[in-house]
């Protein structure tokens, strides 16, 4: 069963493998990270962990039974009770409800553990998978934006009540099978 957990130093090799293996898949719906991301990965990973330690970001990975990274769900620019949500999932992990389950779990963590009251996300209009995940997890469209030169939408979600009362268990249980979707625009 997939496991949602905070990003740790030991995740670096599996996370790098995840990004390399899915680079072309991700580039079909979100801007490519570029070669520098991969050559400077270790330094970037350390920088992300430092941001997490400061509390300005909350990074999470979803791992499979063998420890492989299946996805990531991140909260960035944490300030004034809100943060931007970003996520991406491996091509082999799409269509199983895993992204939806992980985003729901991170929304609950955001309210109950991180004290956040609102989240926002952006995605391109042509990223049907990401738009579906956002809709299924309670995000509502809040206006049009441009995402790297492409038409997109901004989504918002108020956190409170139900999320604050539920601290999710560490496991992410995927739901019923869904059509393949892809990652949102920003996942760090």
């Amino acid at each position: 069963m997939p496991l949602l957990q905070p990003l740790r130093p030991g995740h670096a090799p599996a996370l790098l493998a995840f990004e390399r293996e899915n680079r072309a898949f991700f580039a079909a719906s979100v801007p490519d990270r570029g070669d520098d991301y991969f050559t400077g990965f270790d330094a970037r990973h350390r920088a992300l962990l430092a941001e997490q330690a400061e509390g300005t970001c909350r990074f999470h990975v979803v791992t499979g039974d063998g420890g492989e990274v299946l996805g990531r769900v991140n909260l960035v620019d944490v300030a004034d009770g809100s943060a931007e949500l970003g996520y991406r999932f491996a091509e082999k992990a799409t269509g199983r409800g895993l992204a939806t389950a992980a985003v729901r779990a991170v929304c609950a963590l955001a309210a109950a553990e991180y004290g956040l009251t609102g989240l926002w996300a952006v995605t391109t209009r042509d990223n049907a998978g990401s738009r579906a995940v956002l809709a299924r997890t309670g995000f509502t469209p809040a206006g049009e934006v441009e995402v790297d030169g492409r038409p997109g939408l901004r989504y918002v979600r108020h956190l409170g009540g139900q999320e604050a009362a539920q601290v999710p268990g560490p496991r992410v249980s995927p739901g019923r099978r869904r059509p393949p979707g892809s990652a949102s625009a920003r996942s760090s």
Side-chain angles (χ1 to χ4, degrees):
M1 176 176 275
L3 177 66
L4 174 74
Q5 52 192 303
L7 183 66
R8 296 189 314 262
H11 288 129
L15 188 56
L16 180 57
F18 162 82
E19 292 289 349
R20 282 186 174 145
E21 291 166 10
N22 293 283
R23 186 175 183 181
F25 175 67
F26 294 148
S29 59
V30 295
D32 184 62
R33 295 189 184 279
D35 292 338
D36 290 345
Y37 175 86
F38 297 95
T39 58
F41 183 83
D42 290 337
R44 175 146 177 82
H45 190 70
R46 285 190 302 274
L48 292 177
L49 292 168
E51 286 182 81
Q52 184 164 269
E54 293 168 2
T56 58
C57 296
R58 301 289 185 169
F59 303 108
H60 308 85
V61 293
V62 177
T63 57
D65 293 337
E68 74 279 11
V69 172
L70 300 173
R72 53 194 307 180
V73 183
N74 301 320
L75 300 173
V76 297
D77 298 335
V78 175
D80 300 323
S82 68
E84 180 181 2
L85 171 78
Y87 51 92
R88 59 177 51 200
F89 281 80
E91 184 173 18
K92 70 181 182 183
T94 61
R96 301 184 299 178
L98 188 57
T100 299
V103 168
R104 279 188 184 128
V106 168
C107 287
L109 280 171
E113 297 291 321
Y114 309 148
L116 300 179
T117 57
L119 298 176
W120 60 278
V122 298
T123 191
T124 57
R125 283 192 167 276
D126 61 353
N127 192 336
S130 185
R131 290 189 356 258
V133 167
L134 292 169
R136 284 192 298 266
T137 56
F139 283 81
T140 57
E144 295 186 15
V145 295
E146 190 172 290
V147 181
D148 292 307
R150 296 165 56 192
L153 293 169
R154 183 175 196 269
Y155 287 80
V156 297
R157 185 171 193 287
H158 173 73
L159 302 173
Q162 187 175 348
E163 289 91 10
Q166 296 176 3
V167 177
R171 300 228 175 253
V172 174
S173 179
R176 63 186 169 95
R177 187 159 181 78
R178 301 271 185 186
S182 54
S184 81
R186 185 169 173 184
S187 61
S188 297

